[in-house]
Amino acid sequence: MVDYDIDLSVFDNLMSALVANDSRVAALDTGPEDDAVALELAELLQKFDGDLRTSSLDVLQASLVQASDVRTGVLRIAKTVLYMSLTILVAAMLLFIAFALDSVLTRRALTEKEALLQEAYAADIAKSQFISVMNHELRTPLTSISASLALLKSGVLPHMPAKASRLR
């Protein structure tokens, strides 16, 4: 039961009056002599009418105030839930954007790495070809020079020029 902090002594007084007159009410019949008792009891209850209305209005007013307080509290909670929902929605959107941006940057970095790897493979092939060509180009003249010197040393030539004798 809700406590509205209202003076409810009128209800206690009415209860006392009803308890005190309970036997009189139970003894009432539909006869003409009971009409005076019924009128007396009606006048007794009529005395409580104004106080009962006032107390009822006070209870109604207090319950309206309490209902208004409850509505205000519920409205405040609803606003808080709305703000929290909006905050969560914004955070989720920011996370989605961050993940999308991270995905794009990761894809771009992977593409750059693949391009660099292809360039490195191409440079390795070019280096290998260069070394092969240079090896061939250097070995061919050295072979002919080495063969010529071997000929000179062998003495196959009867007459050797002066410059050639120094090479021996």
Side-chain angles (χ1 to χ4, degrees):
M1 183 165 163
V2 180
D3 184 16
Y4 293 121
D5 195 29
I6 296 173
D7 181 23
L8 300 177
S9 62
V10 66
F11 294 103
D12 293 334
N13 293 340
L14 176 63
M15 183 62 117
S16 297
L18 288 174
V19 168
N21 290 300
D22 185 42
S23 59
R24 291 178 66 192
V25 171
L28 281 177
D29 199 7
T30 57
E33 63 275 353
D34 293 331
D35 286 345
V37 173
L39 283 174
E40 184 182 326
L41 288 172
E43 286 177 15
L44 175 68
L45 295 177
Q46 187 96 22
K47 292 178 185 176
F48 292 102
D49 185 45
D51 292 339
L52 286 172
R53 283 186 187 182
T54 303
S55 291
S56 296
L57 288 175
D58 290 345
V59 168
L60 180 63
Q61 181 66 30
S63 69
L64 289 175
V65 167
Q66 184 180 25
S68 175
D69 291 345
V70 168
R71 278 192 300 271
T72 303
V74 168
L75 183 61
R76 189 172 337 134
I77 290 170
K79 284 181 181 178
T80 302
V81 168
L82 175 68
Y83 293 145
M84 290 175 70
S85 298
L86 289 175
T87 303
I88 290 171
L89 179 66
V90 168
M93 292 172 87
L94 289 175
L95 282 174
F96 177 76
I97 291 170
F99 285 138
L101 185 61
D102 183 54
S103 175
V104 167
L105 292 175
T106 302
R107 221 177 284 132
R108 185 178 296 156
L110 183 61
T111 304
E112 288 176 7
K113 284 181 181 180
E114 287 175 357
L116 289 173
L117 184 62
Q118 288 176 354
E119 287 178 19
Y121 283 144
D124 187 48
I125 290 171
K127 176 195 71 151
S128 295
Q129 288 176 348
F130 175 77
I131 290 174
S132 175
V133 167
M134 288 308 295
N135 186 23
H136 176 71
E137 291 296 324
L138 287 175
R139 191 180 302 172
T140 303
L142 289 177
T143 303
S144 62
I145 292 171
S146 174
S148 298
L149 286 174
L151 255 167
L152 287 174
K153 283 184 182 179
S154 68
V156 175
L157 293 174
H159 173 260
M160 235 197 263
K163 285 185 180 180
S165 61
R166 280 189 325 196
L167 290 176
R168 255 201 231 180

